[in-house]
Amino acid sequence: MKIVVAGTGYVGLVTGVCLSNIGHYVTCVDNNVEKIENLKQGILPIFEEGLSELIEKNKTRLIFTTDYTTAYKNPDVIFIGVGTPENQDGTANLTYVYQVIEQIATSLEKDCTIVIKSTVPIGTNDKIEQYFKEHSKYKINVVSNPEFLSQGSAVKDTLYASRIIVGTNNQTATEIMEQLYEPLTKEPYNVPYLKMDRRSAEMVKYASNNFLALKISFINEIANLCEKIDADIEQVSKGMGYDKRIGNQFLKAGIGYGGSCFPKDTKALYNIGKENNIELEIVKACISVNNNQRMLLIEKLKKIYNNNIKGLNIAVLGLTFKANTDDIRESAAIENIVTLLQEEVTIKAYDPIYNKDLTKILESKLTNKELVKKFSFYNNIDNAIKNTDAVLIFTDWYDIKKYTVEKYALLMNNPIVIDGRNCYSANQFKNKNIKYFSIGRN
Ligand code: UGA
């Protein structure tokens, strides 16, 4: 089929590339000229395992362009995978989605199926279809087809997806979507395919992300209790995970969830509830638990230093919101660094992948801009932890987990390790003259 994908972020780019891999002819459109020029040369805007290999493999079926007028003229299907960031009040911002919708309406020269992959509030697909009824002379069927890929495993999550959710009540769109996804529903992928009404499909996305976020907040609350009662959250999670009704995933306690999805989707769902006069108590609690959890390492640090942290030298290991991504959006590390800098702490940070200029981001968040001078970035752990008074671990990167623990005693001024991801076992620190603190383990 002839497919156009609007947006070359995580969702759009991975969707486009994977659709080309199952035999479709795909044009990826973005209004960012630099991004498109880079993609034409094989330079990717995101770090995602296996993606550049797939681009190379399918290059005869993949086009990258900024020319939306030509691209939207006569495709069979248009996917919209642009971002829906958070507004100040926590609601979803649909500006980018509507920009694309307007461009499509002015460019299309035939009937078309428009597939919404972006995460949008329930009822948005109906509004988009209404928009086309009012602004286009062609028959446009709008289909909800939410995305469930995780950063770091996006290609696998798309090709071997847990499920494909297709929301439409239209017969033509139903047939087109079945045909489009047919290769993924067969060997070797065997992805379950579920067709439903549009609003339910939109809700599946929010409910899924919120449920996963809830699991994380739940296990974090249990972890905090485990610390008090001298139990070990790692053992507790393991014990719970054997029950198939609970499942063993998303039970990893830590410094809370971050990234571009859970923080925004929990707030968006809470707001959807409010708009419909329903107070989503569980979602509210999930958000509140997460907000507190994200500041836990500083709390622990203050307790250790009797609240006197001004002037300390602190190492921060891991800047991204999770391992295997270069994304720092809603990363607890960044929020914590800003708070520490504001308290006049010196920060030495390390991350194996994130290497862009962080100082500008930090500066924009600091009330006293001068304090950014107290921040420095190192590209190896040894240099980051040298002469520091404590190490705070925010991301469970492989090379942090594999770091020789003896070096903390050797290189640090005061060997205190506060591990927000339970990268190590307490046993590794036995008789090493290092004070080790973690989450949910006394
Ligand atoms: C999440 C969902 O997992 C995807 O299914 C969904 O498609 C995506 O959002 C989206 O809406 O686009 P992602 O944000 O890439 O994917 O990351 P996750 O792996 O879900 O992790 C989110 C956060 O939760 C990270 O900060 C991670 O460290 C944290 N987490 C995850 C935990 O603290 N404990 C866990 O057990 C699992």
Side-chain angles (χ1 to χ4, degrees), residues 124-267:
T124 305
N125 280 262
D126 293 352
K127 288 184 191 150
I128 294 173
E129 196 165 273
Q130 187 56 34
Y131 178 91
F132 281 116
K133 275 189 186 133
E134 289 162 16
H135 294 87
S136 172
K137 58 181 177 189
Y138 300 104
K139 173 83 185 109
I140 314 286
N141 293 314
V142 176
V143 176
S144 169
N145 175 217
E147 184 50 63
F148 302 103
L149 60 82
S150 289
Q151 294 184 23
S153 55
V155 171
K156 192 178 120 266
D157 291 348
T158 305
L159 292 176
Y160 296 88
S162 52
R163 72 288 204 195
I164 294 167
I165 300 288
V166 173
T168 178
N169 285 333
N170 178 276
Q171 190 51 35
T172 314
T174 300
E175 283 162 20
I176 288 174
M177 294 306 285
E178 275 171 14
Q179 199 187 330
L180 187 144
Y181 276 126
E182 203 198 354
L184 287 185
T185 60
K186 296 195 302 205
E187 289 285 344
Y189 306 112
N190 293 324
V191 180
Y193 184 95
L194 278 87
K195 193 192 92 68
M196 59 185 71
D197 68 89
R198 254 189 333 220
R199 285 176 178 244
S200 301
E202 290 171 319
M203 189 51 139
V204 169
K205 171 68 186 191
Y206 275 114
S208 300
N209 269 7
N210 274 260
F211 190 76
L212 292 171
L214 201 65
K215 266 186 115 174
I216 299 169
S217 279
F218 178 80
I219 207 66
N220 283 335
E221 271 210 314
I222 298 296
N224 297 342
L225 182 58
C226 281
E227 272 180 39
K228 300 277 183 208
I229 58 159
D230 207 4
D232 180 335
I233 193 62
E234 297 295 320
Q235 300 301 321
V236 174
S237 295
K238 197 172 168 189
M240 287 169 69
Y242 271 84
D243 186 330
K244 286 200 174 69
R245 294 169 303 174
I246 297 171
N248 60 9
Q249 294 184 55
F250 281 70
L251 286 181
K252 178 98 182 110
I255 36 101
Y257 57 78
S260 64
C261 306
F262 290 173
K264 101 176 148 63
D265 291 348
T266 43
K267 283 181 235 163

Side-chain angles (χ1 to χ4, degrees), residues 88-377:
Q88 286 263 312
D89 63 357
T91 55
N93 182 332
L94 300 177
T95 313
Y96 302 124
V97 173
Y98 276 103
Q99 252 169 26
V100 173
I101 299 293
E102 276 174 41
Q103 291 171 347
I104 295 172
T106 52
S107 313
L108 255 183
E109 291 184 358
K110 70 188 244 304
D111 295 351
C112 190
T113 303
I114 312 274
V115 182
I116 311 296
K117 272 231 161 270
S118 307
T119 303
V120 291
I122 291 86
T124 305
N125 280 262
D126 293 352
K127 288 184 191 150
I128 294 173
E129 196 165 273
Q130 187 56 34
Y131 178 91
F132 281 116
K133 275 189 186 133
E134 289 162 16
H135 294 87
S136 172
K137 58 181 177 189
Y138 300 104
K139 173 83 185 109
I140 314 286
N141 293 314
V142 176
V143 176
S144 169
N145 175 217
E147 184 50 63
F148 302 103
L149 60 82
S150 289
Q151 294 184 23
S153 55
V155 171
K156 192 178 120 266
D157 291 348
T158 305
L159 292 176
Y160 296 88
S162 52
R163 72 288 204 195
I164 294 167
I165 300 288
V166 173
T168 178
N169 285 333
N170 178 276
Q171 190 51 35
T172 314
T174 300
E175 283 162 20
I176 288 174
M177 294 306 285
E178 275 171 14
Q179 199 187 330
L180 187 144
Y181 276 126
E182 203 198 354
L184 287 185
T185 60
K186 296 195 302 205
E187 289 285 344
Y189 306 112
N190 293 324
V191 180
Y193 184 95
L194 278 87
K195 193 192 92 68
M196 59 185 71
D197 68 89
R198 254 189 333 220
R199 285 176 178 244
S200 301
E202 290 171 319
M203 189 51 139
V204 169
K205 171 68 186 191
Y206 275 114
S208 300
N209 269 7
N210 274 260
F211 190 76
L212 292 171
L214 201 65
K215 266 186 115 174
I216 299 169
S217 279
F218 178 80
I219 207 66
N220 283 335
E221 271 210 314
I222 298 296
N224 297 342
L225 182 58
C226 281
E227 272 180 39
K228 300 277 183 208
I229 58 159
D230 207 4
D232 180 335
I233 193 62
E234 297 295 320
Q235 300 301 321
V236 174
S237 295
K238 197 172 168 189
M240 287 169 69
Y242 271 84
D243 186 330
K244 286 200 174 69
R245 294 169 303 174
I246 297 171
N248 60 9
Q249 294 184 55
F250 281 70
L251 286 181
K252 178 98 182 110
I255 36 101
Y257 57 78
S260 64
C261 306
F262 290 173
K264 101 176 148 63
D265 291 348
T266 43
K267 283 181 235 163
L269 185 64
Y270 179 70
N271 278 298
I272 294 169
K274 257 176 50 184
E275 283 157 19
N276 289 283
N277 299 319
I278 291 200
E279 181 81 6
L280 294 170
E281 303 282 3
I282 287 183
V283 176
K284 190 176 170 185
C286 167
I287 297 168
S288 151
V289 168
N290 198 58
N291 288 342
N292 294 335
Q293 197 73 12
R294 285 161 71 87
M295 302 317 281
L296 212 60
L297 300 196
I298 294 187
E299 221 176 85
K300 286 177 189 276
L301 178 73
K302 284 189 169 169
K303 212 161 156 197
I304 296 162
Y305 277 100
N306 294 319
N307 272 328
N308 299 316
I309 62 166
K310 187 174 166 180
L312 288 182
N313 260 308
I314 301 292
V316 163
L317 301 187
L319 295 170
T320 55
F321 81 94
K322 65 173 186 178
N324 304 321
T325 176
D326 61 353
D327 198 340
I328 58 158
R329 281 178 289 175
E330 292 284 338
S331 166
I334 310 305
E335 206 176 325
N336 279 261
I337 290 173
V338 171
T339 308
L340 288 170
L341 288 173
Q342 243 137 222
E343 300 211 21
E344 296 184 34
V345 167
T346 300
I347 303 287
K348 298 171 78 186
Y350 163 80
D351 192 275
I353 287 199
Y354 187 82
N355 61 4
K356 296 182 201 100
D357 189 10
L358 233 197
T359 45
K360 275 197 199 94
I361 298 172
L362 295 174
E363 217 172 345
S364 70
K365 291 176 189 275
L366 284 164
T367 2
N368 177 358
K369 311 286 177 208
E370 283 293 300
L371 290 173
V372 82
K373 291 185 188 142
K374 288 185 169 291
F375 173 84
S376 46
F377 179 81

Side-chain angles (χ1 to χ4, degrees), residues 386-411:
K386 220 171 258 172
N387 302 326
T388 54
D389 301 304
V391 161
L392 307 188
I393 300 176
F394 285 97
T395 320
D396 49 355
W397 281 106
Y398 180 79
D399 58 350
I400 297 175
K401 289 199 287 191
K402 292 290 158 211
Y403 189 65
T404 316
V405 297
E406 282 80 4
K407 285 198 182 175
Y408 290 116
L410 262 171
L411 298 170

